C-alpha cells in the first residue's frame, strides 16, 4: 500500500447531527486468530463476519502460502487446515504489510514448525520491535536471524523438536502472549505464561473453542495460563463480532457532534477490550448497551450513543491494555472535554504502527489544543471549540487517520489529513460509513 499515492482528505464540521444506525466491520484480533487456528486445525473452519481489511488479508495469504486452503464463499471464509505441525515451507518471502499482529503471531507458529521462512513488512512494520517475541521463542529451539535492533526482515528456522516455553510477560502484550501460545501448540509438554497485567484473551478463548486444553487462573490482577502441547485442534465455526476498536471512532464522533444519536450494532464487548467505553462513561458519556448476548464465546451488544458534553478524565496506567488502540480517539474526546485530562503509562504507544504518543499530541496541537507529554503520560487541556485549521500527519497509521477525520468534525476550521490509505488495513469503508452518518469528509485535491 505504501507504493500507491497518498490520499489526503479534508474533515470539517457537519451542518447537522450525526444519525442513522450502523454496524462496523469484524474484529481484527479475532479475524487473524480464526484464520491461524483454522489453518492449524484438522478439518473445516467457517468464519462469518471476518474483517476483510488489508491486515487480515495478509494473514490469509500467509496461511495459504504455508499450505492451508482458504476460500471465500457467500461472504464467509472457509479454511481447510493442515493440522498442528503440518504447515509447509513457503515458496516466497511472507509479507505481513502493516500488521504487527500478523507478524508476531505468525512468528510464534513458525517457531515450532520444521520450516525455514523469511518475513517482512511495510516501512512502518519494519521499524517495529520483534525482540519481544524472538526472545521468548528462542527457548523453543527456533533460530532467528534479524536486522539490527531485532527488526524485520526476519529469517525463522523453526525447531524440529520444539520445547515448551515458560515465560513471565515483561510488557502487557496480547501479541507476545499469543505468539508463545501458538508456538506451544506444537511443543511437547506444557507452555506456561504469567501475565502481570491482563491483555485481551481471544487466543485463550479460541484455543478452547478449537479443542485445546488451556487453563487460566487468576491471582489478583495477574493471570497464569497453561497450555498442553500437541492437542488435536478440530476445525470450528467462528462468528466474528464487530470490532470495538473500530466502533470507537463513530462512538466518539457521536458523543462530540451536538445532537447526534444513533446505535452501533453487534459490537464485541469482551471486558478486556472495553476500557475506552468505561473511560468515556467516567467522562459523563451517555452510552448504553442493548441486546447484550454471547455469540461464539464472546459478549456482543448494541451501543446506543447520544451526544453529551464531556468532562476531563485521569486514566490509570493499568487500564492501558484494555484500550491500547483507542488512545488517539480518546485524546480527541479529551480535547473537547471540560478540564485537563491525564492519560497515564503510554510507553507502548511509542511502538505501534507509528509513535502514537507523539503523533497523537501533534494531531491535537495542529488543531490548536494545548498538549504536553510528561514521561509516558499525555496531558490534554480540553476546550469547547478547538481552532482547527491544521494538518494531521498520519505516519502510515490507520488509527491516526480515523481519529483525525473525527477531530475535523468538531474543530472550528477544517482539518486536513495527509493520507487515509492505511484505514484500509482495519476499517474498509470507513469514510463512506462516516459520511452516511452525516460526517463532512472530502478528498483534498493536491
Ligand atoms: C492485538 C494486540 C495489541 C493491539 C493490536 C492487536 C492482538 O497489541 O495493539 O492492534 O490482536 O493481539 P499488543 O498486545 O502488542 O499491545
Amino acid at each position: 500500500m505504501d507504493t500507491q499515492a497518498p490520499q489526503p482528505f479534508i474533515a470539517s464540521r457537519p451542518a447537522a447531527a450525526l444519525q442513522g444506525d450502523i454496524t462496523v466491520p469484524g474484529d481484527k484480533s479475532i479475524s487473524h486468530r480464526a484464520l491461524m487456528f483454522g489453518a492449524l486445525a484438522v478439518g473445516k473452519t467457517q468464519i462469518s463476519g471476518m474483517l476483510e481489511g488489508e491486515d487480515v488479508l495478509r494473514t490469509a495469504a500467509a496461511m495459504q502460502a504455508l499450505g492451508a486452503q482458504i476460500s471465500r464463499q457467500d461472504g464467509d471464509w472457509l479454511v481447510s487446515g493442515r493440522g498442528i505441525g503440518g504447515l509447509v515451507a513457503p515458496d516466497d518471502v511472507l509479507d505481513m504489510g502493516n500488521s504487527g499482529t500478523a507478524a508476531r503471531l505468525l512468528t510464534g507458529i513458525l517457531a515450532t514448525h520444521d520450516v525455514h521462512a523469511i518475513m517482512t513488512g511495510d516501512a512502518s512494520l519494519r521499524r517495529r520491535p520483534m525482540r519481544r517475541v524472538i526472545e521468548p521463542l528462542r527457548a523453543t529451539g527456533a533460530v532467528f536471524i534479524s536486522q539490527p535492533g531485532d527488526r524485520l526482515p526476519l529469517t525463522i528456522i523453526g525447531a524440529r523438536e520444539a520445547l515448551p516455553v515458560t515465560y513471565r510477560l515483561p510488557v502487557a502484550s496480547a501479541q507476545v502472549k499469543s505468539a508463545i501460545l501458538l508456538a506451544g501448540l506444537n511443543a511437547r509438554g506444557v507452555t506456561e505464561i504469567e501475565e502481570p497485567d491482563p491483555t485481551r484473551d481471544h487466543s485463550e478463548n479460541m484455543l478452547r473453542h478449537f479443542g485445546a486444553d488451556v487453563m487460566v487462573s487468576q491471582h489478583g490482577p495477574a493471570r497464569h495460563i497453561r497450555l498442553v502441547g500437541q492437542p488435536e485442534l478440530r476445525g470450528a465455526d467462528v462468528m466474528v463480532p464487530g470490532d470495538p476498536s473500530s466502533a470507537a471512532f463513530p462512538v466518539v464522533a457521536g458523543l462530540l457532534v451536538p445532537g447526534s444519536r444513533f446505535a452501533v450494532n453487534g459490537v464485541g464487548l469482551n471486558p478486556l477490550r472495553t476500557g475506552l467505553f468505561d473511560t468515556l462513561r467516567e467522562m459523563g458519556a451517555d452510552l448504553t448497551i442493548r441486546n447484550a448476548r454471547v455469540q461464539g464465546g464472546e459478549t456482543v451488544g448494541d451501543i446506543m450513543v447520544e451526544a453529551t458534553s464531556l468532562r476531563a478524565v485521569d486514566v490509570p496506567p493499568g487500564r492501558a491494555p484494555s484500550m491500547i488502540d483507542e488512545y488517539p480517539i480518546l485524546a480527541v474526546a479529551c480535547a473537547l472535554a471540560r478540564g485537563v485530562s491525564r492519560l497515564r503509562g503510554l510507553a507502548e504507544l511509542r511502538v505501534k504502527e507509528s509513535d502514537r504518543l507523539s503523533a497523537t499530541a501533534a494531531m491535537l496541537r495542529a488543531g490548536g489544543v494545548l498538549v504536553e507529554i510528561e514521561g509516558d503520560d499525555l496531558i490534554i487541556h480540553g476546550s469547547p471549540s478547538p481552532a482547527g485549521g491544521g494538518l494531521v500527519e498520519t505516519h502510515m497509521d490507520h488509527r491516526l487517520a480515523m481519529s483525525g477525520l473525527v477531530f475535523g468534525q468538531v474543530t472550528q476550521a477544517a482539518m486536513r489529513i495527509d493520507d487515509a490509505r492505511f484505514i484500509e488495513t482495519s476499517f474498509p469503508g470507513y469514510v463512506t460509513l462516516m459520511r452516511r452518518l452525516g460526517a463532512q469528509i472530502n478528498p483534498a485535491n493536491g
Side-chain angles (χ1 to χ4, degrees):
M1 202 178 310
D2 45 343
T3 52
Q4 299 162 5
Q7 289 171 6
F9 276 91
I10 302 279
S12 46
R13 273 193 184 199
L18 305 185
Q19 54 192 336
D21 296 351
I22 55 170
T23 55
V24 294
D27 189 276
K28 181 155 71 69
S29 295
I30 295 177
S31 299
H32 281 298
R33 287 160 172 79
L35 286 165
M36 290 180 183
F37 289 125
L40 291 169
V42 173
K44 283 235 177 315
T45 287
Q46 181 159 355
I47 311 171
S48 54
M50 192 182 93
L51 169 64
E52 295 178 343
E54 260 292 310
D55 279 11
V56 174
L57 298 178
R58 294 285 178 164
T59 289
M63 299 322 291
Q64 262 172 327
L66 294 166
Q69 279 173 31
I70 302 182
S71 58
R72 188 179 191 276
Q73 244 173 50
D74 303 328
D76 283 358
W77 286 72
L78 302 177
V79 184
S80 184
R82 308 232 3 149
I84 287 170
L87 298 179
V88 297
D91 285 342
D92 201 351
V93 170
L94 300 168
D95 184 349
M96 308 322 293
N98 193 251
S99 177
T101 308
R104 299 206 177 102
L105 269 55
L106 192 58
T107 304
I109 294 177
L110 293 169
T112 58
H113 271 79
D114 184 14
V115 297
H116 188 136
I118 302 173
M119 186 188 292
T120 192
D122 69 13
S124 153
L125 187 55
R126 292 197 307 273
R127 280 193 290 268
R128 297 181 65 186
M130 293 297 284
R131 173 172 295 158
R132 53 182 59 203
V133 286
I134 293 175
E135 208 168 79
L137 290 172
R138 281 209 167 102
T140 62
V143 173
F144 299 95
I145 305 162
S146 67
Q147 296 303 299
D150 288 320
R151 304 295 202 257
L152 298 178
L154 175 68
T155 297
I156 302 159
I157 304 169
R160 197 162 286 168
E161 297 274 332
L163 298 168
V165 173
T166 297
Y167 196 63
R168 183 175 194 276
L169 292 182
V171 281
S173 167
Q175 293 180 355
V176 176
K177 169 176 68 175
S178 303
I180 298 171
L181 288 172
L182 282 159
L185 283 173
N186 199 29
R188 211 176 291 163
V190 177
T191 294
E192 296 197 53
I193 302 172
E194 199 180 308
E195 227 188 358
D197 297 303
T199 63
R200 64 191 72 191
D201 58 358
H202 305 303
S203 296
E204 296 92 305
N205 296 343
M206 212 180 285
L207 274 166
R208 280 201 203 94
H209 186 57
F210 279 78
D213 189 354
V214 190
M215 285 143 289
V216 180
S217 52
Q218 192 91 29
H219 307 276
R223 293 166 89 239
H224 188 92
I225 303 149
R226 294 179 88 243
L227 166 70
V228 179
Q230 300 186 319
E232 179 160 297
L233 295 189
R234 290 177 305 274
D237 291 349
V238 179
M239 282 167 77
V240 183
D243 196 325
S245 299
S246 296
F249 301 99
V251 163
V252 170
L255 290 173
L256 298 183
V257 174
S260 301
R261 201 188 153 155
F262 56 88
V264 188
N265 291 324
V267 180
L269 296 172
N270 179 317
L272 292 166
R273 296 287 299 281
T274 49
L276 173 74
F277 305 136
D278 301 336
T279 304
L280 290 170
R281 283 198 196 94
E282 277 177 32
M283 298 173 77
D286 192 350
L287 285 182
T288 49
I289 305 297
R290 288 210 195 135
N291 299 323
R293 55 210 184 261
V294 175
Q295 181 184 296
E298 296 279 352
T299 307
V300 177
D302 304 334
I303 306 178
M304 319 301 297
V305 189
E306 212 171 316
T308 335
S309 114
L310 301 177
R311 52 180 177 269
V313 70
D314 189 327
V315 184
R319 200 179 293 169
S322 68
M323 52 184 295
I324 192 66
D325 292 332
E326 281 66 84
Y327 283 98
I329 190 63
L330 173 63
V332 171
C334 293
L336 274 286
R338 244 173 307 117
V340 181
S341 293
R342 186 167 197 126
L343 317 183
R344 296 175 190 266
L346 306 187
E348 274 296 294
L349 292 199
R350 298 185 202 273
V351 290
K352 291 295 177 190
E353 285 82 332
S354 67
D355 172 352
R356 272 189 194 156
L357 187 51
S358 334
T360 299
M363 165 177 72
L364 297 185
R365 284 185 189 127
V369 179
L370 183 59
V371 184
E372 295 144 72
I373 296 176
E374 263 181 33
D376 297 329
D377 297 353
L378 184 62
I379 298 149
I380 301 162
H381 297 251
S383 78
S385 187
L391 173 71
V392 178
E393 290 184 85
T394 52
H395 304 282
M396 304 177 79
D397 188 332
H398 53 134
R399 300 206 196 273
L400 283 167
M402 289 187 277
S403 300
L405 291 172
V406 172
F407 190 36
Q409 304 306 305
V410 290
T411 49
Q412 290 173 46
M415 294 295 294
R416 188 185 167 95
I417 285 76
D418 68 352
D419 190 4
R421 271 174 306 167
F422 288 85
I423 293 176
E424 207 42 46
T425 61
S426 70
F427 200 150
Y430 175 76
V431 169
T432 308
L433 184 117
M434 292 299 289
R435 277 198 192 126
R436 206 184 313 136
L437 277 173
Q440 277 295 325
I441 302 176
N442 293 297
N445 304 314

